[in-house]
Amino acid sequence: MSFELPDIAIDVTDRVEPFFEALGRGVILFQRCKACGDATSYEFARCETCGSDDLTPEEASGAATLVTWTVIDRPTHQAFNGLAPYVAGYVELAEGPWLPARILIDRAELAPGLPVALQGATASNGTAYPAFGPA
Amino acid sequence: MGKVYGRSASDFADDAVRRAAADAGIALSDIDGLLVSKGVGDSGLNLKLRDRLGLRELAIASEINSFGATASVMMGYASELIRSGQATTIACLFADAPLKEGLTAGAAYGHRGQLAPVDFTGVRIASGLTSTTMYYALAAQRHMNKFGTTSEQFGQVAVSQRAWAEKNPLATMRKPMTLQDHQDSRLVADPLHLLDCCLVSNGGVAVIVTSPERARDLRQRPVDVLGYGQTHLSPTFRSDSTFGIETGAKKAGAKALSMAGVSAGDIDLLELYDCYTYTVVITLEDYGFCEKGEGGAFVSDGKLGPGGALPTNTGGGQLSSYYMWGFTPLSEAIIQARGDGGERQVDKRDLIMVSGNGGILEHHGTTILTPGESTR
């Protein structure tokens, strides 16, 4: 299993800049809707429940579990050549929102609901992005 | 269809419409509507096709794109347009030419990794989620996590469909397949093996839609459109998500069944969109052929295959015959309804349910067909 990171730069736009900045400090942010109170991932500009864009950043506790995953033996993106097999998947924060993430866990250990913890990953231009290992 | 090289999507489309018109016994000039679906391989196909066909005046002409759901979606639109009198004879078609000689199917279709790595798209790419198959793998794995569905159960879908493909002279893959062959095929994106994945094909299909009155007098036995429905559903991305668990098939199927005035139990044969084996399993559940979560067990006795209780994807589907998006299941339904299935013809075919699925389980269309009355 490869835990190496690919050589990919991630460009960040203003709306989601707080998420990536916090991640660089080891903090996961999600958005709380001021209108209905529900939680939504930073991936979306509007509340997934009511559609409001009046969202406020909130720090996640860091507790998270594995929802689903795929193990890739043959990469389709050239930046992953030599990095296979690797795991990518969806992680669920205790507060509800999901994150797409690189999963730094061996194939045999993967299980639904497995507790996972943030491990820093950094893109080639310095942008922090979510990778999770065993909790 | 299949590994046919040296022809463009427009070439295939031109050929398909001409052949469909000849088959129906109409002149090209009888066509007054053109609905075009193009794949993502060869973007050259567009409404200029009308010039090649010599159709200088059309009442209806549009490109329609609901991805893999397009064929079923088109059948609904075409039916409505004819019913309302906006057009009398509509050619619906799909054509694409993604395959290039010497390139692998993956190279022909691997677009997702080319998205600009900005914001969460960047996170997804840097995390290694760089193909459509990987996203379907996430969906299939969630189904397995939640319901205990197994790779062998997915494999049984592939095996049943290959058995149908053996009887289809146009199918690309006709060599017999065992469940062990499926299990031994390489993992493209775990849990999906190579034999869980559809083919990539060059080719074209055209379907002519007209009024029941007109169809009765034409050369072929007509096929009646009894019902249709579409639903476009994007699940939330958080703990309440139905990703991988339920799709728009549930509502689209119910709408089409209700319009036709029948229930799932009345359906004789199914032509289901099969980009992956998993897609067939979740569609069977959403349509109500079995309980939610029991799709894997439902298919595991081979009931989808030749001689089975629920004949499904009787031409081999996109897994084994040809990848023409929703026009693969739609065209096979028409072949079966007309009784033109040859060695693979299913006897009981009064009600045929057709599905289309597009995006990452985001778009769904359903069509219900029945053999129509002919005066000839």
Side-chain angles (χ1 to χ4, degrees):
Chain A
M1 195 56 60
S2 173
F3 294 163
E4 282 181 66
L5 302 179
D7 180 11
I8 291 176
I10 301 176
D11 293 326
V12 174
T13 61
D14 289 348
R15 185 189 67 80
V16 289
E17 203 280 334
F19 171 82
F20 289 96
E21 184 274 326
L23 209 60
R25 295 182 279 109
V27 172
I28 302 168
L29 289 186
F30 65 94
Q31 306 176 104
R32 182 72 68 187
C33 178
K34 287 187 191 166
C36 77
D38 278 0
T40 289
S41 164
Y42 249 94
E43 190 159 357
F44 311 105
R46 288 180 178 273
C47 171
E48 287 211 283
T49 302
C50 72
S52 167
D53 64 354
D54 194 4
L55 307 172
T56 185
E58 191 169 312
E59 289 192 5
S61 66
T65 53
L66 188 57
V67 176
T68 187
W69 60 86
T70 179
V71 186
I72 303 304
D73 297 293
R74 277 209 217 176
T76 64
H77 192 293
Q78 59 182 15
F80 281 86
N81 288 345
L83 303 190
Y86 70 85
V87 184
Y90 291 162
V91 161
E92 182 172 309
L93 304 177
E95 293 80 4
W98 288 7
L99 292 173
R102 177 77 177 274
I103 307 297
L104 305 171
I105 296 174
D106 279 325
R107 187 177 223 148
E109 310 296 320
L110 298 165
L114 183 77
V116 292
L118 184 70
Q119 289 190 8
T122 309
S124 52
N125 61 342
T127 304
Y129 65 96
F132 287 81
Chain B
M1 289 178 295
K3 292 179 179 173
V4 184
Y5 301 114
R7 305 183 71 194
S8 69
S10 297
D11 294 335
F12 287 121
D14 179 54
D15 201 16
V17 174
R18 287 172 189 277
R19 287 201 210 186
D23 177 84
I26 61 171
L28 268 187
S29 56
D30 291 335
I31 294 172
D32 65 353
L34 193 59
L35 296 180
V36 174
S37 168
K38 60 186 179 194
V40 298
D42 171 359
S43 57
L45 174 62
N46 56 41
L47 294 180
K48 291 284 183 199
L49 179 68
R50 70 178 181 201
D51 296 335
R52 282 185 67 155
L53 292 167
L55 301 172
R56 303 221 165 267
E57 182 180 332
L58 289 166
I60 294 295
S62 281
E63 286 181 34
I64 294 184
N65 187 6
S66 306
F67 302 94
T70 309
S72 275
V73 160
M74 269 187 186
M75 292 306 287
Y77 291 148
S79 300
E80 302 273 349
L81 289 165
I82 284 164
R83 197 186 308 246
S84 68
Q86 292 291 316
T88 65
T89 309
I90 303 176
C92 301
L93 70 101
F94 171 88
D96 198 8
L99 286 177
K100 305 284 179 283
E101 214 157 3
L103 275 185
T104 65
Y109 234 68
H111 297 280
R112 188 167 288 273
Q114 295 163 14
L115 297 169
V118 178
D119 297 343
F120 278 86
T121 301
V123 170
R124 287 167 180 271
I125 293 170
S127 299
L129 296 172
T130 55
S131 78
T132 299
T133 305
M134 294 178 193
Y135 282 94
Y136 273 91
L138 294 176
Q141 183 66 53
R142 187 157 194 241
H143 198 276
M144 296 166 88
N145 290 347
K146 190 135 181 137
F147 302 120
T149 317
T150 66
S151 170
E152 288 82 357
Q153 290 170 338
F154 292 143
Q156 188 57 55
V157 173
V159 169
S160 293
Q161 291 191 202
R162 180 61 61 86
W164 284 117
E166 288 175 46
K167 301 169 182 291
N168 179 1
L170 282 179
T172 302
M173 307 290 278
R174 300 183 67 194
K175 208 179 107 197
M177 182 204 298
T178 65
L179 194 53
Q180 196 58 49
D181 292 334
H182 170 271
Q183 290 293 294
D184 290 346
S185 68
R186 71 178 173 86
L187 285 160
V188 176
D190 191 352
L192 299 178
H193 290 259
L194 182 67
L195 293 179
D196 286 305
C197 305
C198 63
L199 306 167
V200 178
S201 310
N202 291 349
V205 179
V207 173
I208 309 285
V209 183
T210 188
S211 66
E213 298 72 29
R214 181 127 198 277
R216 269 201 289 277
D217 299 329
L218 297 178
R219 178 178 301 147
Q220 296 286 351
R221 180 177 185 179
V223 178
D224 287 347
V225 181
L226 289 186
Y228 40 83
Q230 51 177 304
T231 297
H232 306 267
L233 199 64
S234 53
T236 59
F237 197 63
R238 57 185 189 189
S239 51
D240 58 356
S241 179
T242 57
F243 174 75
I245 302 301
E246 188 180 297
T247 74
K250 188 173 175 183
K251 282 188 178 166
K255 280 188 267 190
L257 287 166
S258 165
M259 182 176 171
V262 299
S263 63
D266 300 322
I267 299 294
D268 298 310
L269 99 105
L270 284 166
E271 305 296 347
L272 299 182
Y273 198 90
D274 54 339
C275 44
Y276 301 92
T277 53
Y278 152 79
T279 315
V280 172
V281 170
I282 192 166
T283 304
L284 286 166
E285 293 176 358
D286 287 338
Y287 278 175
F289 287 92
C290 61
E291 292 297 313
K292 178 49 67 186
E294 292 177 4
F298 184 72
V299 303
S300 64
D301 67 353
K303 68 164 61 66
L304 307 188
L310 190 61
T312 298
N313 294 347
T314 50
Q318 301 187 95
L319 298 173
S320 280
S321 63
Y322 24 78
Y323 181 66
M324 293 286 117
W325 287 20
F327 279 81
T328 296
L330 176 63
S331 61
E332 178 64 16
I334 293 166
I335 288 166
Q336 289 286 339
R338 282 170 24 167
D340 292 340
E343 208 192 324
R344 67 184 191 274
Q345 181 63 46
V346 175
D347 289 338
K348 194 157 181 342
R349 58 177 199 276
D350 290 338
L351 283 169
I352 306 173
M353 193 165 181
V354 183
S355 82
N357 157 71
I360 313 294
L361 305 163
E362 294 155 289
H363 307 285
H364 197 94
T366 308
T367 313
I368 295 177
L369 301 175
T370 190
E373 297 299 323
S374 177
T375 55
R376 296 172 77 96

